[in-house]
Each structure stands twice: as structure tokens, then as C-alpha cells.
């Protein structure tokens, strides 16, 4: 008997209401059957991991969950460790006339012995021919892509998946982009999942990847997609959503499948449906949808207000070189965001439009220059990382010069919150300083 949480909601486990979208699922299938590296991208909670789960079994991939502190060595060590490769670090000290000059780390990889195993067509071990495990030891450079690729080629072939690529520092992202070019030449396949909304992100770091990466955007979700998800869930849960409830959920979701799934789950729960009923149940009470929406607003408020506050605080320092007060642009940027609606945010705000909106509300508007807005937007990623905002809310696309919302739940929050209430939570710049 299907449980509500198995049918609707956001979960690390597969959801029964998953539906294939031709332009997305077929794009990934085509990419898998090819030889290019693969990038799956889109806003948070838009189905990147669910898409991957549908098409590549866990046993056919090795996954590394990236973080802000992850280094190149950390990522490669994790890829090898998960394939039973033991990385041994040996430290050697250089000395000259008895004076210690420094230490050098040397790495050795102890590979599992598969020479006596029968391998399947995709590299999986079908049958071992010996009960005695032996390991071969190879010296290598943990941060050299070619060395790591040579080790991976000695192992059963699997996709190397990098989850949360966007959390990595710009320096590590850039290095990985160059390394992935090397892996591609040597036949090692990577799948990168990242929270951004523009194409060719890796090519910005390494131009050689321009025609060597298959990109699969998971957005947009159109109205017909949402109706398919609702219908799939109805079949599994033996319920039927009224037209008003269905359209109300789709309207409130603002293009976010994650928000829609949560509202579907909570609306059913408000009707008392927690598992599949024996008889068809009509989900048609508007007050239950309203209660579901109120519940999600409350859940999102704590996180989003805290995150918006952290961004608004920005850099509260004086510009000593000019002897002028800081402009506190992050604060006014957040004011623009919370006073915008979905239609203004969905495609991003162009830099020139943002400049105009900020100048309209800034007490020192004559001092706000285009270069100030650009500098603020370019620091936005680092500011969110420093504030531990995970997933990030905004991303600045330097190509289109637009700042975009990349946490799809923020649309729902901004559209349902009271801007004055949110503004009252933000620390205001000191009088006379802005």
C-alpha cells in the first residue's frame, strides 16, 4: 500500500509521481550513450538528482558530494576510496647541511586486484577467480588529472558524479574544468550537477570544453508537466485532485517542482490522506490547500529571512580610500528582491535594471554607479558562501549580466510574504552612513 511520502514530496528516495519529460530525459539518455562529459544544471529542488536516479543505477556511478572546503585532492581521493583504492600518504623531509627545508607528500595507491576476475561489458566484476585478495601499489600524484585517470582506468568503469559542484570555490571549479578536459581525452566520464541557470558554465573556465560537454538543463517546468505529476500521483495514491486545487498548486509553485511536490503532500495530509485509501478520495477542499500554503510559508520563512538578512548585512565598513561611507548595496539589493514579484524575478534582473531600482530607493542615489553594482554582484557568490547559505539563493551570470534566483523556493516565499515584515527583520544601515 503506497504511503503519501512515497508518492509526493521532496525526498532523497525515488518518488512515485516522477514523470519523464521528453526534452529532458531523452537529452540525458542521449548524453549517456555518447562520449561527452555531462552537466545537469538548474535551480535547486528542480529534479536534478531525481533525473539522474532514473537513468543511472547507483552501482554504475561513484558520487562525491562537494563542499566549500573541498579541494581537488579531496575529490579525487573520495572517487578512489569509494572504489576500494587505498591512498597512502608518505611524507619525506628535504634537508640541506642538517637544516630542515620542508616536507613533500608522496601518494601511493593500493589497487584492489581484479586481474583474476571476469569483467562484464561495462566493466562490472562478474566472477572472481581467486579467494585471496592482493593489491598492486602505484605511486602517483593525487592532484594530477592524468595520474588519477590512469588509476581509474584500471578499475571497473563507472561514471564519476560530482554533486553540488556550485559549492566549490571558483579556483577549484576552474581547475576541475581543465582536469575534466584531460579525463575526457582518456575516456573517463564525469557527470556534474550544479545549481545555476545558464549554459556553458564549464566552458567559461576552460574554452576547450565548448563542444565536449553534453548539457542537460532541468528547467523549465511547464504547466503540462505539473499536471502529469499530479496525475501520476493520483494513480498511485487513489485520489483525485479537483481542477481548482490542481491549478491552485501549480500557480503557487511558480515553476518549482519541489514546491509543487511539497504542496501536494501537505494538501493530502490536510485532507487526512497519509496512505492509499481503499476507495477513490476527492481532494477538493480549498481550505486544506490554504493551510498547506501557510505551513510551507512558515517553514521557508525562518531559513529565507535568515539568509536574506545575512546578505543584506554585507560589508558594513567605511571606504577609507575615498573617505566616504559604504553604500550598503547588498541591503538595497535585498529590498529590491522582496518588493519584486515572480514575473520580475523569473528571468533574472538585468544589471542596468537593478541599478535603476536601487537608485530609486537609495538615499545617496547620486553616488551609486554601475561599477558599484557590478562589484556587488560579482561578490554575491562569496558573500553567500561566507554566510553558509546552502543552497545559495542568487547567482550572477556575467554573460547575460543578470542576477538570477537559483533557489526555486524563494519565488514562493517572496510571492507570499509581506515585504514590510521581511524588511523589519533586516538590520538597517546606520543613519548618516548610507
Amino acid at each position: 500500500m503506497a504511503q503519501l511520502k512515497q508518492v509526493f514530496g521532496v525526498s532523497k528516495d525515488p518518488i512515485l509521481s516522477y514523470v519523464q519529460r521528453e526534452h529532458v530525459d531523452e537529452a540525458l539518455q542521449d548524453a549517456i550513450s555518447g562520449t561527452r562529459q555531462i552537466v545537469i544544471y538548474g535551480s535547486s529542488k528542480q529534479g536534478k538528482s531525481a533525473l539522474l536516479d532514473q537513468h543511472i543505477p547507483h552501482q554504475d556511478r561513484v558520487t562525491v558530494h562537494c563542499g566549500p572546503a573541498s579541494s581537488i585532492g579531496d575529490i579525487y581521493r573520495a572517487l578512489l576510496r569509494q572504489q576500494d583504492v587505498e591512498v597512502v600518504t608518505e611524507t619525506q623531509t628535504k634537508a640541506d647541511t642538517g637544516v630542515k627545508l620542508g616536507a613533500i607528500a608522496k601518494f601511493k595507491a593500493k589497487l584492489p586486484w581484479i586481474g583474476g576476475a571476469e569483467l562484464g561489458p561495462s566493466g562490472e566484476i562478474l566472477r572472481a577467480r581467486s579467494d585471496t585478495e592482493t593489491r598492486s601499489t602505484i605511486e602517483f600524484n593525487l592532484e594530477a588529472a592524468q595520474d588519477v585517470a590512469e588509476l581509474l582506468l584500471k578499475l571497473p568503469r563507472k561514471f564519476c558524479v560530482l554533486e553540488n559542484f556550485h559549492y566549490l570555490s571558483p579556483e577549484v571549479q576552474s581547475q576541475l574544468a581543465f582536469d575534466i578536459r584531460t579525463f575526457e581525452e582518456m575516456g573517463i566520464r564525469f557527470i556534474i550537477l550544479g545549481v545555476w541557470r545558464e549554459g556553458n558554465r564549464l566552458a567559461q573556465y576552460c574554452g576547450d570544453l565548448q563542444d565536449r560537454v553534453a548539457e542537460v538543463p532541468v528547467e523549465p517546468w511547464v504547466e503540462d508537466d505539473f499536471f502529469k505529476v499530479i496525475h501520476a500521483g493520483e494513480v498511485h495514491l487513489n485520489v483525485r485532485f479537483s481542477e481548482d486545487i490542481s491549478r491552485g498548486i501549480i500557480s503557487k509553485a511558480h515553476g518549482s517542482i519541489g514546491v509543487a511536490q511539497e504542496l501536494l503532500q501537505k494538501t493530502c495530509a490536510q485532507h487526512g490522506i497519509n496512505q492509499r485509501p481503499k476507495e477513490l478520495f476527492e481532494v477538493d477542499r480549498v481550505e486544506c490547500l490554504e493551510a498547506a500554503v501557510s505551513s510551507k510559508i512558515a517553514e521557508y520563512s525562518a531559513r529565507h529571512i535568515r539568509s536574506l538578512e545575512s546578505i543584506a548585512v554585507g560589508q558594513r565598513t567605511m571606504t577609507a580610500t575615498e573617505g566616504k561611507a559604504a553604500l550598503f548595496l547588498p541591503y538595497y539589493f535585498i529590498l529590491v528582491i522582496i518588493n519584486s514579484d515572480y514575473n520580475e524575478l523569473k528571468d533574472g534582473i538585468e544589471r542596468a535594471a537593478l541599478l535603476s531600482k536601487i537608485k530609486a530607493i537609495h538615499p545617496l542615489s547620486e553616488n551609486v554607479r554601475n561599477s558599484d553594482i557590478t562589484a556587488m554582484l560579482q561578490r554575491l557568490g562569496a558573500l553567500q558562501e561566507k554566510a553558509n547559505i546552502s543552497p545559495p539563493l542568487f547567482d550572477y551570470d556575467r554573460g547575460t549580466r543578470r542576477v538570477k534566483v537559483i533557489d526555486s523556493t524563494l519565488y514562493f516565499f517572496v510571492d507570499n510574504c509581506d515585504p514590510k515584515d521581511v524588511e523589519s527583520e533586516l538590520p538597517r544601515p546606520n543613519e548618516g552612513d548610507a
Side-chain angles (χ1 to χ4, degrees), residues 200-214:
N200 298 316
R201 173 64 68 96
L202 294 189
Q204 294 177 18
Y205 293 115
C206 178
D208 283 345
L209 291 177
Q210 184 69 53
D211 298 315
R212 299 175 184 271
V213 173

Side-chain angles (χ1 to χ4, degrees), residues 199-398:
N200 298 316
R201 173 64 68 96
L202 294 189
Q204 294 177 18
Y205 293 115
C206 178
D208 283 345
L209 291 177
Q210 184 69 53
D211 298 315
R212 299 175 184 271
V213 173
E215 295 195 314
V216 183
V218 295
E219 296 176 283
W221 282 82
V222 299
E223 184 179 89
D224 188 51
D225 297 329
F226 287 103
F227 276 115
K228 289 178 180 178
V229 168
I230 292 172
H231 179 65
E234 288 175 330
V235 173
H236 286 288
L237 201 56
N238 196 29
V239 299
R240 182 166 57 209
F241 289 85
S242 70
E243 183 78 6
D244 287 345
I245 296 295
S246 295
R247 291 195 175 278
I249 288 174
I250 294 171
S251 174
K252 288 291 184 182
H254 291 317
S256 171
I257 188 59
V259 172
Q261 286 280 8
E262 288 290 288
L263 290 178
L264 287 164
Q265 184 186 79
K266 285 189 174 294
T267 300
C268 286
Q270 288 289 332
H271 279 80
I273 301 297
N274 292 300
Q275 62 183 16
R276 179 185 174 93
K278 294 181 179 179
E279 297 182 358
L280 182 66
F281 190 96
E282 297 287 341
V283 180
D284 56 4
R285 291 161 54 191
V286 176
E287 65 271 20
C288 289
L289 172 57
E290 293 173 346
V293 170
S294 297
S295 174
K296 289 310 298 181
I297 292 173
E299 289 179 19
Y300 290 144
S301 290
R303 173 180 175 259
H304 284 324
I305 289 177
R306 184 173 63 251
S307 298
L308 294 173
E309 178 184 346
S310 297
I311 295 172
V313 169
Q315 183 183 2
R316 302 246 160 175
T317 60
M318 302 293 287
T319 52
T321 54
E322 298 180 7
K324 296 189 303 182
L327 294 171
F328 303 115
L329 291 180
Y331 172 80
Y332 294 98
F333 166 69
I334 294 302
L335 290 189
V336 169
I337 294 297
I338 62 177
N339 285 283
S340 300
D341 60 31
Y342 171 66
N343 289 325
E344 294 176 293
L345 296 175
K346 66 177 182 178
D347 295 322
I349 301 179
E350 204 272 331
R351 185 183 60 187
L354 181 62
L355 172 64
S356 177
K357 288 175 179 289
I358 288 179
K359 287 176 72 73
I361 60 175
H362 203 290
L364 298 176
S365 59
E366 67 279 5
N367 292 347
V368 181
R369 302 165 298 180
N370 191 58
S371 58
D372 298 319
I373 299 297
T374 299
M376 184 268 294
L377 293 175
Q378 290 178 345
R379 293 194 299 267
L380 199 53
L383 178 58
Q384 292 175 98
E385 178 184 331
K386 184 177 180 180
N388 296 316
I389 299 174
S390 172
L393 301 182
F394 308 102
D395 181 52
Y396 178 55
D397 181 355
R398 300 189 185 194

